[in-house]
């Protein structure tokens, strides 16, 4: 199965990378489409993008805030939505994306699986000059060990780092 295309505005500063979209997100063709996923509430807290607005408006709000979205894995075989069952991976061209968008100075990894796959398929991105990589807790409802408030607090590192750019 194939993932979603990148969402990117003219001058992104932050690239948020997930691992691979959930079955729900693929069905509705929306990043973080599952209403139980805290991603959009985190983005509302960080960048003022209202989580209750239509998807297209949320995307425009992120682009205006300098945030791009994509996934490390572009295509894979997977049973259900579990990141643990991802196999037969075709990676997205993250280095090429960064080459095409030199304004990106922060790569925010949404969860351990995104970090795992980035280390496995594009380890040089972790050492890329001028780019800070932040491994953050997953906003997925499967990450129930943290409350939404704790996830927002952890993700504040993205907004704080972005302000220094």
């Amino acid at each position: 199965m194939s993932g979603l295309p990148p969402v990117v505005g003219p001058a992104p500063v932050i690239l948020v990378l997930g691992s691979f979209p959930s079955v729900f997100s693929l069905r509705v063709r929306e990043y973080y489409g599952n209403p139980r996923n805290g991603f959009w509430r985190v983005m509302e807290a960080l960048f003022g993008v209202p989580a209750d607005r239509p998807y297209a408006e949320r995307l425009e709000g992120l682009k205006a805030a300098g945030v791009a979205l994509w996934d490390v894995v572009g295509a894979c075989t997977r049973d259900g939505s579990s990141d643990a069952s991802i196999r037969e991976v075709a990676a997205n061209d993250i280095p090429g994306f960064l080459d095409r968008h030199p304004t990106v100075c922060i790569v925010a990894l949404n969860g351990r699986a995104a970090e795992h796959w980035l280390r496995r398929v594009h380890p040089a991105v972790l050492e890329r000059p001028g780019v800070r990589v932040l491994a953050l807790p997953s906003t997925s409802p499967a990450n129930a060990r943290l409350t939404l408030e704790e996830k927002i607090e952890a993700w504040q590192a993205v907004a704080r780092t972005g302000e220094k750019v």
Side-chain angles (χ1 to χ4, degrees):
M1 70 183 89
S2 294
L4 301 172
V7 171
V8 59
V13 175
I14 300 163
L15 172 60
V16 175
L17 290 174
S19 53
F20 190 76
S22 69
V23 171
F24 189 100
S25 291
L26 289 172
R27 188 176 67 236
V28 299
R29 305 298 299 164
E30 295 182 4
Y31 280 98
Y32 308 100
N34 183 336
R36 292 181 48 232
N37 192 305
F39 178 79
W40 291 107
R41 290 176 300 237
V42 170
M43 294 299 104
E44 181 172 24
L46 267 59
F47 303 108
V49 176
D52 62 350
R53 302 303 304 154
Y55 182 67
E57 289 181 32
R58 286 181 273 152
L59 293 183
E60 290 306 313
L62 280 187
K63 289 191 252 182
V67 179
L69 298 177
W70 210 13
D71 289 303
V72 178
V73 176
C76 67
T77 302
R78 180 181 67 191
D79 296 324
S81 292
S82 171
D83 285 334
S85 68
I86 292 174
R87 58 191 189 287
E88 299 176 25
V89 166
N92 279 323
D93 183 13
I94 307 305
F97 181 95
L98 295 172
D99 289 343
R100 290 185 301 279
H101 303 285
T103 53
V104 172
C105 58
I106 302 160
V107 173
L109 301 172
N110 190 351
R112 289 187 181 149
E115 180 182 11
H116 164 81
W117 285 110
L118 187 67
R119 285 185 185 284
R120 186 164 175 187
V121 300
H122 295 304
V125 169
L126 298 163
E127 303 299 325
R128 190 178 178 108
V131 175
R132 182 169 179 206
V133 178
L134 302 173
L136 299 160
S138 174
T139 60
S140 167
N143 181 13
R145 68 180 181 83
L146 295 179
T147 65
L148 177 62
E149 291 75 23
E150 290 169 325
K151 292 174 186 180
I152 290 169
E153 178 58 34
W155 277 77
Q156 289 290 339
V158 173
R160 285 191 299 268
T161 304
E163 290 169 1
K164 297 175 187 173
V165 176

